[in-house]
Amino acid sequence: MKRMILIGRSESGKTTLKQALSREKIQYYKTQYIHYEDIIIDTPGEYAQTHHLGYALALYAYEADVVGLLAAATEPYTLFPPNITCMVNRQVIGIVTKIHDKNANVRRAESWLRNAGCKKIFFVDSVTGEGVEELLGYLGEG
């Protein structure tokens, strides 16, 4: 089973996705620090949103087999610059979350992740479970 680190801005759905992948009850709470699970490393959005904390993400990525860049389909902008995936010597996948939200723009989020360099992209609704099994299968537990 591959271990994946989740990276994205605050409220992109990292913790909810972690709960869905771990088959936990979905409940909102703010991630305040790095959480290590069996297969998931959950990170606070502030690490991706703050320049100096971003360096820590690079270090934590070494503890994972896969880097998951999250972009909620409801986000008004992306944090990920073009071709950022070449900066990591791990598999990098894109994960579009909140795909069924009434304000979702799934194609825009997908294009941001492709522009960042993600070749493989998953589309997930953590609340309904759509896309979760496919992602688990990719990690080796499907």
Side-chain angles (χ1 to χ4, degrees):
M1 188 72 175
K2 298 173 191 164
R3 178 180 260 186
M4 177 173 59
I5 186 169
L6 301 175
I7 299 175
R9 59 181 267 169
S10 292
E11 299 182 23
S12 64
K14 297 178 302 297
T15 299
T16 306
L17 179 58
K18 176 201 69 94
Q19 292 170 351
L21 291 169
S22 301
R23 296 179 169 87
E24 299 172 8
K25 179 182 176 191
I26 304 295
Q27 56 187 9
Y28 177 79
Y29 65 87
K30 174 71 180 118
T31 302
Q32 299 291 328
Y33 54 89
I34 304 292
H35 285 245
Y36 286 86
E37 300 286 329
D38 290 337
I39 62 166
I40 303 295
I41 302 170
D42 188 12
T43 64
E46 289 79 7
Y47 278 54
Q49 293 170 232
T50 307
H51 179 70
H52 295 298
L53 293 175
Y55 296 123
L57 290 176
L59 294 174
Y60 286 111
Y62 283 105
E63 306 219 6
D65 303 303
V66 177
V67 174
L69 299 183
L70 274 74
T74 56
E75 293 181 11
Y77 61 90
T78 183
L79 293 177
F80 306 122
N83 299 314
I84 189 70
T85 61
C86 69
M87 302 297 290
V88 181
N89 65 352
R90 302 280 186 272
Q91 296 175 38
V92 181
I93 62 171
I95 305 169
V96 177
T97 59
K98 303 183 183 183
I99 60 174
H100 293 306
D101 187 281
K102 65 181 175 104
N103 298 315
N105 186 335
V106 174
R107 295 297 153 226
R108 180 178 62 192
E110 177 186 12
S111 70
W112 288 335
L113 292 170
R114 292 214 185 276
N115 192 42
C118 298
K119 304 287 188 247
K120 178 80 174 155
I121 297 184
F122 294 87
F123 300 89
V124 175
D125 184 317
S126 298
V127 176
T128 68
E130 184 176 338
V132 171
E133 290 304 317
E134 182 182 3
L135 185 51
L136 282 171
Y138 178 80
L139 296 175
E141 186 188 279

